[in-house]
Amino acid sequence: MSDYFPEEIIQRILLRLPTKSLIKSTLVCKSWMSLIKSSTFIQSHLSTTIDTNNQNDAHLLLLSAFSYKVSDRLHWLHWDSPEFGEYSLLADPVTFLENETISDLKVVGTCNGLICLAPHLSDNHSPTLIWNPCIRKIVILPSPPACFTSTESKYDVCIEHGFGYDLHSNDYKVLRIVTLPDDHLDLSRFATVVQVYSLARGSWKTLDASVVPVDLQGGGSGIVFLNGSLHMLEVRLSVEYDDHTYEYCKYGGDTFIASFDMATELFGEVMMPEALQSNRCTISKYGDSLALIKHYDYNCGCDIWVMKEYGVTESWTYLYKIAGSQDRIYGFKRCGEVVLSEENNLGWLRMISLDPKSKQVQVFGNKDYIYYFMDSFVEGLILLDHVNAISYQ
């Protein structure tokens, strides 16, 4: 076909094809396969897809859920629109892996068509996966270096993961925060280890203790990737004398947002509104902005705050209050609707999409599944050229 069309024209046509069509196109001839699998084409195709989606307002959301009834995990792609129609169902990739001891993997982040699945909380044995469901490829990460001595590791550790993209080096990274619960009053005692996996290098590295904040405990309300950094809510720790126990005790103080720059691999802090620092909050994204959800006690609703200009404390803005009993808020659609789970009259949790202005509610989802993750998603070819990526059918 190159005898009839210049290679430049062929490349322009291929760049506009959807991911599944491109995978089929690799079978046409060796030159097409070589072109489509090149890192330059993969990156150009991602940029073209993002631009096309923006022009056509055709965006996707990834939702993940698990079921205790059927011992299953599923992932769905929905259109990010008021109708919220289902785009496709993604089977959990763990079911296709043989000779691997894997249990209880959950989605911890998605970026540029890649999904990171990691062990939950104290599971220190199952591997972490980086998965591209569109091209059906997986990278199984190697085991990270040991964090604590054998004496310390006999206690349950708390493990949190984050996933994001380093634009400067065109690299995808996994952040692993391992915290050893302890009753030591010395705040300088290092009880948290931070490790970073680089997809480009194919290896883990442990950050020096000097760059890890003393208060870092790995969040607990989720880790959000935005603006080249991961963000998590933490609590400032202090040691005070307890008049009732007649001893010094470790206490948690105000809440703050810890950030981790994916390029420099350094921690920082994003200032919160002063009005929220002493309240129970969770962190989320509102479009391309950082969001905080202030929860009221006794299931009396929550307030939505948004940082309209990233890094500018004064730009934190109160948007609205959501009344009623919410089990969890998963995120926000581009049209402004809120995706959350609430308890119905029968005591069952149901997933709804709520318009905060009209108060109209759209019920969706499978009642046999418990949803736990939602974020924007874009189809891409990342991992197609990765030497350690495993294909599955």
Side-chain angles (χ1 to χ4, degrees):
M1 188 174 289
S2 58
D3 296 335
Y4 302 95
F5 292 100
E7 290 187 6
E8 183 180 350
I9 300 299
I10 293 176
Q11 181 169 339
R12 288 183 180 180
I13 295 173
L14 291 175
L15 282 173
R16 283 161 176 77
L17 291 180
T19 302
K20 291 181 180 179
S21 299
L22 283 173
I23 297 301
K24 294 178 181 178
S25 298
T26 60
L27 303 176
V28 173
C29 60
K30 290 184 178 179
S31 62
W32 281 27
M33 176 183 289
S34 177
L35 171 64
I36 295 170
K37 286 189 172 183
S38 68
S39 58
T40 302
F41 182 89
I42 291 173
Q43 200 63 33
S44 297
H45 179 262
L46 177 64
S47 300
T48 302
T49 301
I50 293 173
D51 290 342
T52 302
N53 291 349
N54 289 335
Q55 291 172 9
N56 299 330
D57 195 20
H59 300 92
L60 295 172
L61 287 170
L62 170 69
L63 285 91
S64 298
F66 62 89
S67 173
Y68 290 120
K69 292 185 178 181
V70 294
S71 185
D72 190 23
R73 296 183 182 279
L74 289 177
H75 315 274
W76 293 266
L77 291 177
H78 281 254
W79 289 109
D80 188 352
S81 64
E83 295 77 21
F84 207 38
E86 184 177 315
Y87 175 75
S88 66
L89 172 66
L90 309 174
D92 193 271
V94 173
T95 59
F96 299 98
L97 297 177
E98 299 179 354
N99 304 319
E100 291 289 341
T101 305
I102 299 176
S103 64
D104 200 27
L105 293 189
K106 289 190 174 183
V107 175
V108 295
T110 177
C111 184
N112 293 343
L114 296 183
I115 301 172
C116 182
L117 298 101
H120 184 55
L121 294 179
S122 60
D123 184 353
N124 204 18
H125 304 288
S126 297
T128 300
L129 309 179
I130 296 178
W131 170 40
N132 186 331
C134 300
I135 62 173
R136 303 177 74 84
K137 281 184 176 288
I138 303 171
V139 172
I140 302 176
L141 276 56
S143 299
C147 296
F148 301 106
T149 65
S150 58
T151 303
E152 292 172 315
S153 61
K154 68 180 181 180
Y155 301 102
D156 287 336
V157 295
C158 181
I159 305 173
E160 294 285 348
H161 293 84
F163 179 65
Y165 177 58
D166 175 3
L167 177 63
H168 297 278
S169 60
N170 189 28
D171 192 8
Y172 295 86
K173 297 178 180 180
V174 178
L175 177 70
R176 184 173 186 260
I177 302 175
V178 186
T179 304
L180 179 68
D182 71 296
D183 296 323
H184 292 271
L185 300 181
D186 183 6
L187 292 181
S188 65
R189 181 182 185 273
F190 190 65
T192 299
V193 175
V194 176
Q195 297 170 317
V196 178
Y197 175 84
S198 161
L199 184 62
R201 295 194 309 266
S203 62
W204 291 93
K205 74 174 182 180
T206 301
L207 299 187
D208 190 271
S210 62
V211 303
V212 179
V214 172
D215 306 288
L216 190 71
Q217 302 290 310
S221 67
I223 299 180
V224 172
F225 177 68
L226 181 73
N227 203 45
S229 296
L230 293 168
H231 304 81
M232 63 213 83
L233 288 178
E234 298 289 349
V235 175
R236 300 193 193 280
L237 299 177
S238 62
V239 173
E240 299 176 12
Y241 186 77
D242 191 321
D243 293 328
H244 298 286
T245 60
Y246 302 105
E247 62 182 9
Y248 285 93
C249 299
K250 185 184 292 184
Y251 290 97
D254 289 343
T255 303
F256 70 100
I257 302 174
S259 63
F260 181 77
D261 191 302
M262 299 301 281
T264 63
E265 298 183 356
L266 295 174
F267 284 94
E269 182 176 343
V270 177
M271 299 303 296
M272 290 177 60
E274 189 173 344
L276 301 184
Q277 292 176 5
S278 300
N279 291 274
R280 182 168 64 92
C281 298
T282 52
I283 194 166
S284 185
K285 287 195 297 187
Y286 188 92
D288 295 325
S289 299
L290 205 58
L292 287 172
I293 304 161
K294 173 189 173 183
H295 301 273
Y296 288 95
D297 294 333
Y298 310 110
N299 292 326
C300 294
C302 61
D303 292 340
I304 308 300
W305 288 70
V306 171
M307 190 180 220
K308 293 192 172 181
E309 186 176 349
Y310 183 80
V312 179
T313 308
E314 295 75 20
S315 70
W316 279 108
T317 304
Y318 167 78
L319 293 187
Y320 51 80
K321 178 178 180 177
I322 301 177
S325 175
Q326 305 92 33
D327 175 67
R328 178 176 175 180
I329 291 181
Y330 295 87
F332 304 87
K333 292 154 64 175
R334 288 178 177 266
C335 61
E337 293 183 5
V338 189
V339 177
L340 55 92
S341 59
E342 70 168 10
E343 188 174 305
N344 63 16
N345 296 331
L346 299 176
W348 291 90
L349 290 177
R350 64 175 186 174
M351 293 291 289
I352 66 171
S353 180
L354 168 69
D355 186 330
K357 294 182 179 179
S358 67
K359 309 302 180 185
Q360 289 186 336
V361 169
Q362 177 185 359
V363 181
F364 72 97
N366 189 321
K367 64 182 180 60
D368 292 330
Y369 283 82
I370 300 173
Y371 292 76
Y372 68 91
F373 181 87
M374 187 185 91
D375 201 354
S376 57
F377 185 85
V378 59
E379 295 181 304
L381 297 169
I382 311 297
L383 294 188
L384 188 61
D385 62 337
H386 199 282
V387 293
N388 294 324
I390 302 171
S391 297
Y392 66 92
Q393 300 301 320

